[in-house]
Amino acid sequence: MKDILGSIPVDALRVFETAARLQSFTQAATQLGMTQAAVSWRIRDLEDRLGHALFVRRARSIALTDQGERLYRPTSEAMALLRRGVSDVLELNNNILSVTALQTLATQWLAARLGQFQLSNADLAVRVDTGIALSNLSDDGMDVGLRYGSGQWSGMEARLVFPAVATPMCSPEVYERLKPKQPSDLKTGPLLGDDNEWAAWFVEAGVDVSQPANSPRMMADSQMMEVAAAMAGQGIVLASPILFARELRNGQLIAPFRETCSIARAYWLCYPTGRRLVPKIARFRDWILQEAQADPIIVQEARRAGVQIGQTA
């Protein structure tokens, strides 16, 4: 079968991607070290070969046509992969490990351990990003991600760090006021968080759910915010005994019951499948899985949830 790219110069696609990304032939010429006339000629030649106009040319600007939009996304993704591959081969930026992580996980679990990784890997600087945008780990400079979910992400290898489990927690003041003796006592309490997760916990604790519990008085998009509300005495929160182990140890939070519920998701370390052997990624993967295996609470909750630390999705 004839390769469809056989008649399309790869360099022309590079020029197209740059011009489309910058929305300017002039800026593309500057970035590529070409003249504007050369950029314009390359684009025109590509359009002739494809039989479609890729840009609408205006007096002082350009815009992608519908066909240009269709070509831009895969071209942009391909160029990002090429840049990353060449960088890996040339070992550029291999002294910087860029990690994107959920804020709660980064603050509550990773931060306290990261110093040991840096001591053991003094040649690596670690950059941690906790932005809410989901990184695609290809064109934004991130090397690895710590994500919450099913572990099924296209083009990614995912290794389980620990399960997503939750148990009720509250401040000592709330505990003294409510004095719950059995799990069913919490049904009428001031609940915080997701009502579906509370329903799952009540079932796990053997509580009759034919009569629903109180509706949670607050739900936030961050587990840290819900826990902060609980620590301030605003109610009872379902939270991870793994992520909030420190607060439980020092008495800022009390977990009145041992029952935990699994939320059918987990926290994963993920990275592009094609980069699994990059040394800095392999070193971080081995370290973080060893940290998880050395945490007795993670080991206990993984056993309860029926999962294995380090398993692939």
Side-chain angles (χ1 to χ4, degrees):
M1 182 178 177
K2 186 177 179 180
D3 184 356
I4 195 171
L5 291 178
S7 62
I8 307 295
V10 174
D11 189 52
L13 292 172
R14 177 169 174 250
V15 172
F16 163 75
E17 185 271 338
T18 305
R21 174 165 40 85
L22 299 176
Q23 291 288 288
S24 167
F25 287 176
T26 302
Q27 292 183 40
T30 299
Q31 186 169 113
L32 295 170
M34 302 169 65
T35 65
Q36 183 178 347
V39 168
S40 182
W41 181 87
R42 281 287 193 182
I43 297 297
R44 183 69 69 184
D45 179 63
L46 179 61
E47 291 174 324
D48 290 343
R49 290 173 184 269
L50 294 173
H52 292 283
L54 300 174
F55 292 95
V56 176
R57 294 159 174 83
R58 304 189 179 104
R60 295 183 179 277
S61 65
I62 58 172
L64 287 167
T65 64
D66 289 345
Q67 295 298 332
E69 291 280 4
R70 292 180 64 184
L71 182 61
Y72 173 62
R73 181 172 179 179
T75 304
S76 175
E77 292 174 352
M79 290 300 166
L81 287 172
L82 282 171
R83 291 187 188 99
R84 178 58 64 88
V86 171
S87 176
D88 287 345
V89 170
L90 296 177
E91 297 187 348
L92 299 177
N93 297 322
N94 270 7
N95 63 335
I96 300 174
L97 178 73
S98 296
V99 182
T100 175
L102 295 167
Q103 185 177 20
T104 300
L105 188 152
T107 303
Q108 293 296 124
W109 192 82
L110 182 63
R113 294 165 169 79
L114 203 51
Q116 188 58 51
F117 174 78
Q118 292 180 293
L119 285 174
S120 302
N121 297 271
D123 58 318
L124 281 179
V126 180
R127 177 168 69 96
V128 180
D129 177 82
T130 58
I132 61 174
L134 185 63
S135 169
N136 60 18
L137 301 181
S138 61
D139 57 3
D140 58 3
M142 293 292 114
D143 294 305
V144 299
L146 287 165
R147 291 182 176 177
Y148 168 75
S150 66
Q152 300 288 340
W153 295 289
S154 178
M156 299 286 175
E157 178 172 292
R159 303 289 292 273
L160 188 142
V161 181
F162 54 81
V165 294
T167 195
M169 301 179 194
C170 62
S171 69
E173 294 76 17
V174 170
Y175 179 78
E176 286 301 316
R177 186 171 76 244
L178 298 178
K179 287 186 167 51
K181 299 291 191 299
Q182 54 193 7
S184 59
D185 292 343
L186 300 184
K187 290 181 67 176
T188 57
L191 306 182
L192 305 171
D194 185 281
D195 54 357
N196 291 322
E197 292 181 3
W198 271 110
W201 183 82
F202 282 124
V203 169
E204 186 70 25
V207 176
D208 179 11
V209 293
S210 59
Q211 294 296 320
N214 283 349
S215 295
R217 57 172 59 178
M218 187 196 85
M219 183 173 72
D221 59 3
S222 164
Q223 190 175 169
M224 282 186 65
M225 184 178 294
E226 293 175 354
V227 170
M231 289 173 64
Q234 295 182 30
I236 310 161
V237 67
L238 268 180
S240 168
I242 297 169
L243 294 176
F244 294 95
R246 181 175 60 250
E247 288 77 6
L248 290 169
R249 281 197 306 270
N250 64 27
Q252 289 176 281
L253 288 170
I254 290 177
F257 304 107
R258 296 182 58 188
E259 288 83 358
T260 60
C261 70
S262 175
I263 308 174
R265 290 174 178 258
Y267 293 92
W268 304 82
L269 174 71
C270 58
Y271 38 83
T273 303
R275 304 193 71 220
R276 63 187 304 273
L277 298 180
V278 173
K280 62 181 178 180
I281 292 176
R283 285 154 68 183
F284 187 76
R285 178 186 62 232
D286 293 346
W287 169 79
I288 201 168
L289 294 180
Q290 287 171 4
E291 285 294 308
Q293 289 162 348
D295 187 322
I297 300 177
I298 291 180
V299 171
Q300 171 183 290
E301 296 301 338
R303 187 180 301 116
R304 285 181 178 178
V307 296
Q308 290 187 337
I309 299 166
Q311 74 177 53
T312 54

